[in-house]
């Protein structure tokens, strides 16, 4: 049986030479944001401990910023408040580039020596990508669905790579798009209520499901979700293996691949997937450790003169 931990089952980490994830002695001005998002993404709180100390505040700020933008794009039900918030972020990115940031996350990022060099057009592409999620057409197939999410995640990955190299932009875009597909599937009823169709049309056609009964529990729904989640889990094998993602993203990709695979084998895949969103597999710890180790090695490697 695969091993999975909750956030409270980490007492053996120090004996393996890993940081003590229960040690909160290093406080940051971002602590409230980190706590908020770690509650929804348990791999985030753990993986942050494997980010090199000199990069931790800035990488944490960027990850929390991604979560804030995702919440605005997908989590705010009413269109007008979401649009107003995204407009505020657009103005904030412009201010941050001039060292006039107001938000704790952008203030932390503005301390990065390369932050001011990020073209404003890239931040504009992020806002356009987030707004695009508010008014989407049903996707014909899996590729089209992931491409619709990539409109948001590709510019974010490009900015992250510019600030925290080396990162594989294409792979990061893909795994974040896959993660969004998994999250949207887990919140199937809410997504449908808000006018989003989190599964592509060809999957509905294959299992002879209509949008109207998509959220109703049935043998047909279970079979459809098992097949869909297996597709997503398999896609991770092509997108994640060997890619440079950084500790935070590597842990998230590993955890989400596990969640999709486990739920795809369950009798009730939707309820299983929802339960697994708060659980942390051991493989995510290894992924974060390996990425953190590689970052330390590269930071300490001699630079050519």
């Amino acid at each position: 049986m695969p091993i999975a931990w909750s956030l409270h089952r980490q007492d053996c980490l120090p004996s393996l030479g890993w940081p003590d994830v229960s040690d909160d002695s290093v406080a940051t001005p971002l602590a409230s944001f980190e706590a908020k998002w770690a509650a929804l993404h348990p791999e985030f709180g753990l993986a942050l401990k494997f980010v090199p100390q000199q990069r931790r505040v800035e990488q944490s700020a960027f990850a929390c910023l991604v979560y804030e933008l995702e919440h605005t794009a997908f989590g705010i039900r009413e269109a007008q408040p979401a649009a107003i918030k995204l407009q505020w972020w657009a103005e904030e990115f412009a201010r941050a580039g001039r060292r006039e940031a107001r938000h704790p996350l952008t203030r932390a990022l503005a301390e990065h020596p390369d932050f001011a060099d990020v073209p404003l057009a890239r931040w504009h592409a992020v806002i356009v990508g987030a707004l695009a999620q508010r008014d989407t057409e049903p996707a014909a197939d899996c590729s089209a669905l992931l491409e619709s999410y990539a409109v948001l995640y590709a510019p974010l990955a490009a900015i992250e790579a510019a600030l925290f190299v080396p990162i594989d932009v294409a792979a990061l875009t893909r795994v974040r798009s896959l993660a969004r597909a998994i999250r949207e599937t887990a919140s199937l009823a809410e997504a449908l209520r808000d006018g989003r169709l989190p599964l592509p049309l060809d999957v509905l056609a294959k299992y002879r499901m209509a949008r109207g009964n998509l959220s109703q529990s049935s043998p047909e729904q279970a079979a459809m979700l098992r097949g869909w989640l297996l597709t997503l889990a398999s896609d991770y094998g092509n997108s994640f293996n060997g890619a440079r993602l950084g500790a935070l993203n590597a842990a998230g990709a590993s955890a989400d691949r596990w969640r999709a695979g486990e739920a795809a084998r369950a009798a009730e895949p939707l309820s299983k997937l929802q339960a697994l969103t708060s659980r942390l597999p051991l493989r995510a710890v290894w992924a974060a450790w390996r990425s953190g180790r590689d970052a330390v090695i590269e930071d300490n490697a001699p630079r050519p003169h």
Side-chain angles (χ1 to χ4, degrees), residues 255-280:
D256 284 327
R257 181 182 184 182
W258 170 78
R259 289 168 183 141
E262 290 294 298
R265 291 188 286 272
E268 298 292 338
L270 183 56
S271 59
K272 181 70 171 180
L273 181 62
Q274 291 167 343
L276 291 177
T277 57
S278 61
R279 299 190 66 189
L280 182 65

Side-chain angles (χ1 to χ4, degrees), residues 10-303:
Q10 298 159 353
D11 50 311
C12 62
L13 290 180
S15 66
L16 296 175
W18 295 334
D20 182 355
V21 297
S22 65
D23 180 11
D24 294 324
S25 59
V26 183
T28 77
L30 310 180
S32 62
F33 294 98
E34 293 172 355
K36 176 175 71 171
W37 294 115
L40 296 176
H41 302 267
E43 60 275 10
F44 168 63
L46 177 80
L48 191 59
K49 305 295 183 176
F50 296 97
V51 176
Q53 183 67 42
Q54 68 273 20
R55 300 181 180 180
R56 191 168 298 170
V57 171
E58 292 159 354
Q59 288 203 8
S60 173
F62 192 87
C64 289
L65 177 60
V66 171
Y67 294 142
E68 293 285 337
L69 292 168
E70 284 181 319
H71 174 69
T72 306
F74 298 100
I76 297 179
R77 187 173 185 183
E78 298 297 329
Q80 186 173 6
I84 291 172
K85 190 168 184 179
L86 287 170
Q87 178 60 38
W88 187 92
W89 276 116
E91 295 172 359
E92 178 68 1
F93 295 143
R95 291 175 62 96
R98 302 192 302 267
R99 304 288 184 179
E100 299 173 0
R102 298 162 293 183
H103 195 280
L105 297 177
T106 42
R107 284 204 302 266
L109 283 169
E111 295 300 316
H112 192 291
D114 298 327
F115 183 82
D117 295 330
V118 176
L120 189 57
R122 282 190 176 173
W123 289 116
H124 178 69
V126 170
I127 299 301
V128 170
L131 285 168
Q133 309 306 318
R134 306 291 311 183
D135 187 23
T136 57
E137 294 294 327
D141 53 27
C142 181
S143 293
L145 183 67
L146 297 179
E147 286 170 6
S148 72
Y149 297 144
V151 175
L152 169 61
Y153 293 119
L156 280 170
I159 294 170
E160 187 166 357
L163 297 176
F164 309 112
V165 292
I167 288 176
D168 186 324
V169 173
L172 180 53
T173 300
R174 188 72 171 185
V175 298
R176 280 208 178 122
S177 298
L178 286 166
R180 174 48 49 186
I182 292 169
R183 292 266 168 184
E184 290 290 286
T185 302
S187 58
L188 179 62
E190 292 82 358
L192 291 170
R193 178 202 65 192
D194 294 343
R196 301 191 304 276
L197 183 61
L199 282 79
L201 294 174
D202 66 339
V203 172
L204 271 64
K206 178 179 179 180
Y207 293 92
R208 299 182 180 179
M209 295 289 292
R211 184 168 184 159
N213 61 8
L214 191 58
S215 63
Q216 299 172 6
S217 180
S218 67
E220 293 78 15
Q221 185 220 49
M224 177 192 65
L225 290 176
R226 281 194 293 269
W228 171 236
L229 291 169
L230 184 60
T231 296
L232 296 178
S234 299
D235 201 327
Y236 270 102
N238 300 323
S239 305
F240 170 52
N241 291 341
R244 290 180 170 182
L245 302 174
L248 301 179
N249 300 313
S254 183
D256 284 327
R257 181 182 184 182
W258 170 78
R259 289 168 183 141
E262 290 294 298
R265 291 188 286 272
E268 298 292 338
L270 183 56
S271 59
K272 181 70 171 180
L273 181 62
Q274 291 167 343
L276 291 177
T277 57
S278 61
R279 299 190 66 189
L280 182 65
L282 181 59
R283 66 177 64 186
V285 183
W286 281 108
W289 176 77
R290 286 195 303 268
S291 291
R293 176 203 60 190
D294 292 344
V296 170
I297 291 172
E298 292 190 9
D299 278 350
N300 294 330
R303 298 294 191 266

